[in-house]
Amino acid sequence: MNAADLANRFRVPGVVEFSENEHGLVKAVVSRGGMTGELYLQGAQVTAWQPAGATPVIFTSSHAVFAPGKAIRGGIPVIVPWFGPHPSDPKAPQHGLARTAPWQLDKVDAGPDAVTFDLSLAIEGFAVTYRVAFGGALDLTLTMRNTRAGETSFEEALHTYFCVSDVARVAVSGLESSAHIDKTANMARIPPSGARVTLAKETDSVYLGVPGGLAINDSNAGRRIVIDKTGASSAIVWNPWPEKAAAMADLGADNQPKFICVETGNVADNRVHLAPGATHEMTTRIAVDAG
Ligand code: BG6
């Protein structure tokens, strides 16, 4: 559907507006009481959110490309049904098919606490639904239903890019007791460190068996980003550092210090197995406080 058709069905004047860029990519722009957000229908990708009185929480690259079939660099890419390279097909795209697929918008609800979008996608034997609720917190619910006749399994991640004052000056808590796979060191398995995670070089770490919520402590900015989750056992921490960022045309060395990816999901050892007709739900709630 184009922006005009979506506006006819779902527009909430002054609260939810739809627009379309020169390549035909459609986004919903949300604003209410000082809270703002943005959601692209391609990939069901949130590209902005800030609660009233706060600075932006979700980071999108200033060099991101918004074009059909191209992954948007930043925001919250929805990664299913595989994370990273496809397990057996080297020609399949990295990070699954959902992030570049056109999702269907099923419902918009401007309720008292949040402006909620319900989206859906049928993909590779899964009925995927995704609820995004923009409010004082950002609430995300991703549900996977197995539509095949037999058992299946999948990986998933909400690949969130967060705005930080300087990626080298933040500390991530909640990962102290979890082992991780270091993708920068030949997939080495690293035991739990017992400490908060700080970044001093390229980091691409897949934490497994993450027991509870996470937080990005950004004392330099005077704030903490709190990430609560359910149904998600993995967390991925990623920043490519300047040299690799410079080689990524849609990121650039200039953007590299300004974000950290702290992703919630179920990947590698934590992949999800589903009986025919069964569903799995994962939620992520993002909020900010003074730390
Ligand atoms: C992270 C992966 O989740 O995403 C990294 O662990 C990857 O290995 C990064 O480089 C970015 O991926 P992409 O496909 O968006 O460039």
Side-chain angles (χ1 to χ4, degrees):
M1 261 196 268
N2 63 24
D5 293 338
L6 287 163
N8 273 338
R9 278 191 67 189
F10 298 116
R11 179 170 181 249
V12 182
V15 178
V16 180
E17 303 288 348
F18 293 88
S19 65
E20 197 170 318
N21 76 2
E22 69 275 25
H23 306 297
L25 236 56
V26 180
K27 70 176 174 184
V29 179
V30 179
S31 77
R32 194 162 66 173
M35 178 277 291
T36 58
E38 266 185 18
L39 172 75
Y40 276 82
L41 265 65
Q42 172 167 293
Q45 189 158 338
V46 172
T47 51
W49 171 67
Q50 61 192 92
T55 54
V57 178
I58 301 300
F59 170 89
T60 294
S61 170
S62 56
H63 307 302
V65 177
F66 299 90
K70 170 95 184 130
I72 300 168
R73 176 67 61 199
I76 311 182
V78 177
I79 309 295
V80 284
W82 65 88
F83 177 81
H86 187 276
S88 57
D89 180 1
K91 288 201 215 82
Q94 150 126 326
H95 284 336
L97 303 168
R99 69 171 169 168
T100 52
W103 287 59
Q104 180 173 305
L105 182 57
D106 297 319
K107 192 175 170 203
V108 176
D109 178 46
D113 299 324
V115 180
T116 302
F117 293 78
D118 286 319
L119 300 118
S120 60
L121 177 71
I123 204 168
E124 291 218 332
F126 296 99
V128 189
T129 58
Y130 187 42
R131 172 169 284 188
V132 178
F134 293 95
L138 180 63
D139 279 296
L140 310 167
T141 306
L142 183 66
T143 306
M144 298 284 288
R145 182 166 59 85
N146 178 7
T147 57
R148 288 192 178 141
E151 191 187 299
T152 189
S153 69
F154 65 90
E155 294 178 298
E156 60 184 345
L158 296 174
H159 191 311
T160 311
Y161 291 68
F162 290 102
C163 292
V164 289
S165 58
D166 179 350
V167 68
R169 294 180 68 177
V170 301
V172 181
S173 51
L175 301 169
E176 293 83 346
S177 66
S178 302
H180 72 274
I181 299 170
D182 186 347
K183 292 175 80 173
T184 71
N186 218 8
M187 308 298 271
R189 297 257 171 175
I190 313 292
S193 70
R196 301 198 301 181
V197 174
T198 53
L199 280 63
K201 61 179 179 62
E202 180 198 351
T203 301
D204 192 355
S205 301
V206 176
Y207 288 84
L208 301 168
V210 177
L214 305 153
I216 303 167
N217 302 279
D218 191 352
S219 50
N220 196 32
R223 81 169 173 189
R224 183 173 68 145
I225 299 171
V226 180
I227 307 161
D228 289 316
K229 61 178 179 58
T230 64
S233 298
S234 313
I236 302 95
V237 179
W238 178 68
N239 182 290
W241 240 240
E243 200 182 325
K244 281 201 177 163
M248 299 165 79
D250 60 0
L251 187 57
D254 54 331
N255 278 305
Q256 177 274 329
K258 301 179 187 167
F259 81 91
I260 184 169
C261 281
V262 178
E263 311 169 34
T264 45
N266 293 293
V267 309
D269 308 18
N270 298 141
R271 72 184 292 121
V272 177
H273 297 266
L274 274 186
T279 61
H280 176 272
E281 177 184 281
M282 114 171 153
T283 71
T284 296
R285 163 172 267 235
I286 299 164
V288 286
D289 65 24

